[in-house]
């Protein structure tokens, strides 16, 4: 199976390494025509407003939104989660998303880079042990629509991992901690979906 990683900005290389180590064929996605060659897509962490501008400048925004609507499995981490959200709170003026996730996310919910933190999360769909999560200028899911399921929350109840059909999203960065279970879970979604454009 061929899985794409959106490679406009952010930590796309780290995701590509994790996916290859799990046995996936990986393609770095920068142009609309490359979407036809993949069965799933990871949108990495980075800066969501820059990613949005680049996706529009490269002509990828509309094809990405169309692929999500037609069932392409997509996993978004941090900025990638923001890109998939139907609603962004505290986005910059004019910021757009490709949407698809029936959620509202708050951008930079935990503050500046110096307020980044790590914690362990219980993620029942992944089983034991707890997931060690790194939050870097991370978003938080403020509201979850009826089609979306929360997969993990912080001790204070704030939602930081979600899924909805073929979509998966985390506020944190499993690709930089050696935590590969979210990527493996995503690859199961990709295999089950059998997506082809």
């Amino acid at each position: 199976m061929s899985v794409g990683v959106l490679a406009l900005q952010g930590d796309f290389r780290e995701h590509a390494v994790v996916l290859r180590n799990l046995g996936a064929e990986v393609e770095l996605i920068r142009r609309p025509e490359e979407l036809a060659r993949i069965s799933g897509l990871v949108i990495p962490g980075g800066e969501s407003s820059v990613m949005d501008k680049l996706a529009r400048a490269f002509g990828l925004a509309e094809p990405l939104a169309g692929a999500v609507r037609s069932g392409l499995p997509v996993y978004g981490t941090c900025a990638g989660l923001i890109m998939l959200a139907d609603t962004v709170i505290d986005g910059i003026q004019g910021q757009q998303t490709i949407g698809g996730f029936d959620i509202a996310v708050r951008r930079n919910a935990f503050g500046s880079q110096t307020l980044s933190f790590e914690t362990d999360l219980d993620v029942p769909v992944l089983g034991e042990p707890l997931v060690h999560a790194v939050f870097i200028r991370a978003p938080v899911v403020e509201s979850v629509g009826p089609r979306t399921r929360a997969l993990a929350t912080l001790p204070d109840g704030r939602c930081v991992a979600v899924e909805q059909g073929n979509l998966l999203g985390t506020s944190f960065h499993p690709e930089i901690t050696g935590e590969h279970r979210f990527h493996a879970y995503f690859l199961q979604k990709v295999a089950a979906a059998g997506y082809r454009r």
Side-chain angles (χ1 to χ4, degrees), residues 11-32:
D11 69 340
F12 58 87
R13 290 175 193 87
E14 290 82 352
H15 284 283
V17 168
V18 172
L19 292 165
R20 285 186 184 112
N21 288 341
L22 291 171
E25 189 178 304
V26 176
E27 180 152 355
L28 299 180
I29 303 298
R30 294 185 178 99
R31 294 185 297 276

mmCIF file of all heavy atoms in Angstrom, residues 11-32:
data_model
loop_
_atom_site.group_PDB
_atom_site.id
_atom_site.type_symbol
_atom_site.label_atom_id
_atom_site.label_comp_id
_atom_site.label_asym_id
_atom_site.label_seq_id
_atom_site.Cartn_x
_atom_site.Cartn_y
_atom_site.Cartn_z
ATOM 1 N N ASP A 11 7.206 18.427 9.923
ATOM 2 C CA ASP A 11 8.075 17.262 10.174
ATOM 3 C C ASP A 11 7.666 16.036 9.347
ATOM 4 O O ASP A 11 7.537 14.928 9.856
ATOM 5 C CB ASP A 11 8.137 16.958 11.676
ATOM 6 C CG ASP A 11 6.848 16.440 12.269
ATOM 7 O OD1 ASP A 11 5.777 16.650 11.664
ATOM 8 O OD2 ASP A 11 6.913 15.826 13.342
ATOM 9 N N PHE A 12 7.509 16.238 8.046
ATOM 10 C CA PHE A 12 7.092 15.154 7.156
ATOM 11 C C PHE A 12 8.113 14.023 7.074
ATOM 12 O O PHE A 12 7.749 12.869 6.919
ATOM 13 C CB PHE A 12 6.732 15.691 5.761
ATOM 14 C CG PHE A 12 7.825 16.439 5.058
ATOM 15 C CD1 PHE A 12 8.757 15.778 4.280
ATOM 16 C CD2 PHE A 12 7.899 17.828 5.164
ATOM 17 C CE1 PHE A 12 9.757 16.471 3.619
ATOM 18 C CE2 PHE A 12 8.895 18.535 4.507
ATOM 19 C CZ PHE A 12 9.838 17.855 3.734
ATOM 20 N N ARG A 13 9.399 14.341 7.192
ATOM 21 C CA ARG A 13 10.429 13.293 7.107
ATOM 22 C C ARG A 13 10.279 12.273 8.233
ATOM 23 O O ARG A 13 10.443 11.072 8.022
ATOM 24 C CB ARG A 13 11.824 13.913 7.144
ATOM 25 C CG ARG A 13 12.198 14.683 5.897
ATOM 26 C CD ARG A 13 13.565 15.376 6.041
ATOM 27 N NE ARG A 13 13.775 16.342 4.995
ATOM 28 C CZ ARG A 13 13.374 17.608 5.033
ATOM 29 N NH1 ARG A 13 12.723 18.063 6.083
ATOM 30 N NH2 ARG A 13 13.599 18.420 4.029
ATOM 31 N N GLU A 14 9.988 12.752 9.446
ATOM 32 C CA GLU A 14 9.827 11.859 10.590
ATOM 33 C C GLU A 14 8.669 10.887 10.381
ATOM 34 O O GLU A 14 8.775 9.701 10.699
ATOM 35 C CB GLU A 14 9.631 12.671 11.876
ATOM 36 C CG GLU A 14 10.870 13.402 12.339
ATOM 37 C CD GLU A 14 11.134 14.743 11.642
ATOM 38 O OE1 GLU A 14 10.420 15.078 10.661
ATOM 39 O OE2 GLU A 14 12.053 15.454 12.069
ATOM 40 N N HIS A 15 7.560 11.388 9.832
ATOM 41 C CA HIS A 15 6.427 10.504 9.537
ATOM 42 C C HIS A 15 6.798 9.476 8.471
ATOM 43 O O HIS A 15 6.416 8.308 8.581
ATOM 44 C CB HIS A 15 5.222 11.313 9.054
ATOM 45 C CG HIS A 15 4.503 12.020 10.144
ATOM 46 N ND1 HIS A 15 3.650 11.382 11.010
ATOM 47 C CD2 HIS A 15 4.501 13.321 10.515
ATOM 48 C CE1 HIS A 15 3.147 12.254 11.860
ATOM 49 N NE2 HIS A 15 3.649 13.446 11.585
ATOM 50 N N ALA A 16 7.509 9.897 7.449
ATOM 51 C CA ALA A 16 7.906 8.971 6.382
ATOM 52 C C ALA A 16 8.749 7.831 6.943
ATOM 53 O O ALA A 16 8.556 6.665 6.566
ATOM 54 C CB ALA A 16 8.662 9.727 5.288
ATOM 55 N N VAL A 17 9.664 8.138 7.851
ATOM 56 C CA VAL A 17 10.510 7.100 8.461
ATOM 57 C C VAL A 17 9.657 6.102 9.235
ATOM 58 O O VAL A 17 9.816 4.884 9.094
ATOM 59 C CB VAL A 17 11.592 7.733 9.366
ATOM 60 C CG1 VAL A 17 12.282 6.684 10.224
ATOM 61 C CG2 VAL A 17 12.614 8.491 8.526
ATOM 62 N N VAL A 18 8.736 6.604 10.062
ATOM 63 C CA VAL A 18 7.876 5.712 10.854
ATOM 64 C C VAL A 18 7.065 4.807 9.932
ATOM 65 O O VAL A 18 7.000 3.585 10.136
ATOM 66 C CB VAL A 18 6.936 6.517 11.776
ATOM 67 C CG1 VAL A 18 5.909 5.602 12.439
ATOM 68 C CG2 VAL A 18 7.725 7.275 12.828
ATOM 69 N N LEU A 19 6.449 5.377 8.905
ATOM 70 C CA LEU A 19 5.618 4.591 7.995
ATOM 71 C C LEU A 19 6.436 3.543 7.247
ATOM 72 O O LEU A 19 6.000 2.391 7.110
ATOM 73 C CB LEU A 19 4.899 5.518 7.009
ATOM 74 C CG LEU A 19 3.832 6.420 7.631
ATOM 75 C CD1 LEU A 19 3.452 7.537 6.669
ATOM 76 C CD2 LEU A 19 2.605 5.611 8.043
ATOM 77 N N ARG A 20 7.618 3.911 6.791
ATOM 78 C CA ARG A 20 8.489 2.926 6.110
ATOM 79 C C ARG A 20 8.891 1.804 7.061
ATOM 80 O O ARG A 20 8.915 0.636 6.680
ATOM 81 C CB ARG A 20 9.727 3.617 5.542
ATOM 82 C CG ARG A 20 9.448 4.422 4.292
ATOM 83 C CD ARG A 20 10.720 4.985 3.651
ATOM 84 N NE ARG A 20 10.368 5.819 2.527
ATOM 85 C CZ ARG A 20 10.527 7.150 2.485
ATOM 86 N NH1 ARG A 20 11.074 7.796 3.513
ATOM 87 N NH2 ARG A 20 10.164 7.835 1.422
ATOM 88 N N ASN A 21 9.214 2.160 8.302
ATOM 89 C CA ASN A 21 9.581 1.141 9.293
ATOM 90 C C ASN A 21 8.431 0.188 9.585
ATOM 91 O O ASN A 21 8.663 -0.941 10.016
ATOM 92 C CB ASN A 21 10.074 1.791 10.588
ATOM 93 C CG ASN A 21 11.447 2.410 10.435
ATOM 94 O OD1 ASN A 21 12.194 2.093 9.511
ATOM 95 N ND2 ASN A 21 11.794 3.309 11.340
ATOM 96 N N LEU A 22 7.201 0.637 9.361
ATOM 97 C CA LEU A 22 6.023 -0.218 9.542
ATOM 98 C C LEU A 22 5.656 -0.977 8.262
ATOM 99 O O LEU A 22 4.652 -1.678 8.224
ATOM 100 C CB LEU A 22 4.830 0.616 10.013
ATOM 101 C CG LEU A 22 4.938 1.169 11.440
ATOM 102 C CD1 LEU A 22 3.805 2.150 11.728
ATOM 103 C CD2 LEU A 22 4.932 0.030 12.466
ATOM 104 N N GLY A 23 6.471 -0.828 7.206
ATOM 105 C CA GLY A 23 6.273 -1.596 5.982
ATOM 106 C C GLY A 23 5.503 -0.910 4.876
ATOM 107 O O GLY A 23 5.231 -1.514 3.838
ATOM 108 N N ALA A 24 5.147 0.347 5.055
ATOM 109 C CA ALA A 24 4.389 1.065 4.020
ATOM 110 C C ALA A 24 5.334 1.628 2.962
ATOM 111 O O ALA A 24 6.462 2.004 3.260
ATOM 112 C CB ALA A 24 3.577 2.199 4.640
ATOM 113 N N GLU A 25 4.828 1.685 1.737
ATOM 114 C CA GLU A 25 5.506 2.411 0.669
ATOM 115 C C GLU A 25 5.094 3.870 0.837
ATOM 116 O O GLU A 25 3.901 4.161 0.965
ATOM 117 C CB GLU A 25 5.016 1.862 -0.665
ATOM 118 C CG GLU A 25 5.747 2.340 -1.876
ATOM 119 C CD GLU A 25 5.179 1.671 -3.126
ATOM 120 O OE1 GLU A 25 5.141 0.427 -3.177
ATOM 121 O OE2 GLU A 25 4.759 2.422 -4.018
ATOM 122 N N VAL A 26 6.058 4.790 0.857
ATOM 123 C CA VAL A 26 5.757 6.188 1.184
ATOM 124 C C VAL A 26 6.083 7.093 0.004
ATOM 125 O O VAL A 26 7.119 6.960 -0.631
ATOM 126 C CB VAL A 26 6.553 6.650 2.430
ATOM 127 C CG1 VAL A 26 6.309 8.127 2.716
ATOM 128 C CG2 VAL A 26 6.179 5.799 3.636
ATOM 129 N N GLU A 27 5.166 8.017 -0.247
ATOM 130 C CA GLU A 27 5.381 9.031 -1.280
ATOM 131 C C GLU A 27 5.204 10.411 -0.642
ATOM 132 O O GLU A 27 4.217 10.653 0.055
ATOM 133 C CB GLU A 27 4.383 8.848 -2.416
ATOM 134 C CG GLU A 27 4.567 9.879 -3.503
ATOM 135 C CD GLU A 27 4.123 9.400 -4.867
ATOM 136 O OE1 GLU A 27 3.752 8.230 -5.021
ATOM 137 O OE2 GLU A 27 4.142 10.240 -5.775
ATOM 138 N N LEU A 28 6.163 11.285 -0.863
ATOM 139 C CA LEU A 28 6.046 12.660 -0.382
ATOM 140 C C LEU A 28 5.170 13.434 -1.361
ATOM 141 O O LEU A 28 5.446 13.453 -2.566
ATOM 142 C CB LEU A 28 7.428 13.299 -0.233
ATOM 143 C CG LEU A 28 8.364 12.609 0.757
ATOM 144 C CD1 LEU A 28 9.702 13.338 0.825
ATOM 145 C CD2 LEU A 28 7.739 12.494 2.140
ATOM 146 N N ILE A 29 4.130 14.070 -0.836
ATOM 147 C CA ILE A 29 3.100 14.714 -1.670
ATOM 148 C C ILE A 29 3.304 16.225 -1.674
ATOM 149 O O ILE A 29 3.287 16.869 -0.621
ATOM 150 C CB ILE A 29 1.686 14.375 -1.156
ATOM 151 C CG1 ILE A 29 1.466 12.867 -1.109
ATOM 152 C CG2 ILE A 29 0.621 15.088 -1.984
ATOM 153 C CD1 ILE A 29 1.553 12.165 -2.444
ATOM 154 N N ARG A 30 3.508 16.764 -2.888
ATOM 155 C CA ARG A 30 3.655 18.208 -3.060
ATOM 156 C C ARG A 30 2.789 18.766 -4.189
ATOM 157 O O ARG A 30 2.638 19.974 -4.309
ATOM 158 C CB ARG A 30 5.121 18.554 -3.340
ATOM 159 C CG ARG A 30 6.041 18.272 -2.164
ATOM 160 C CD ARG A 30 7.473 18.738 -2.442
ATOM 161 N NE ARG A 30 8.300 18.495 -1.290
ATOM 162 C CZ ARG A 30 9.117 17.454 -1.141
ATOM 163 N NH1 ARG A 30 9.207 16.545 -2.111
ATOM 164 N NH2 ARG A 30 9.833 17.300 -0.046
ATOM 165 N N ARG A 31 2.264 17.875 -5.031
ATOM 166 C CA ARG A 31 1.470 18.313 -6.186
ATOM 167 C C ARG A 31 0.148 17.538 -6.251
ATOM 168 O O ARG A 31 0.102 16.366 -5.850
ATOM 169 C CB ARG A 31 2.259 18.106 -7.471
ATOM 170 C CG ARG A 31 3.495 18.999 -7.573
ATOM 171 C CD ARG A 31 4.188 18.861 -8.926
ATOM 172 N NE ARG A 31 4.700 17.529 -9.187
ATOM 173 C CZ ARG A 31 5.882 17.070 -8.772
ATOM 174 N NH1 ARG A 31 6.679 17.843 -8.070
ATOM 175 N NH2 ARG A 31 6.279 15.845 -9.063
ATOM 176 N N PRO A 32 -0.895 18.158 -6.783
ATOM 177 C CA PRO A 32 -2.213 17.504 -6.830
ATOM 178 C C PRO A 32 -2.203 16.152 -7.534
ATOM 179 O O PRO A 32 -2.854 15.215 -7.087
ATOM 180 C CB PRO A 32 -3.093 18.508 -7.578
ATOM 181 C CG PRO A 32 -2.423 19.820 -7.414
ATOM 182 C CD PRO A 32 -0.946 19.531 -7.304
#
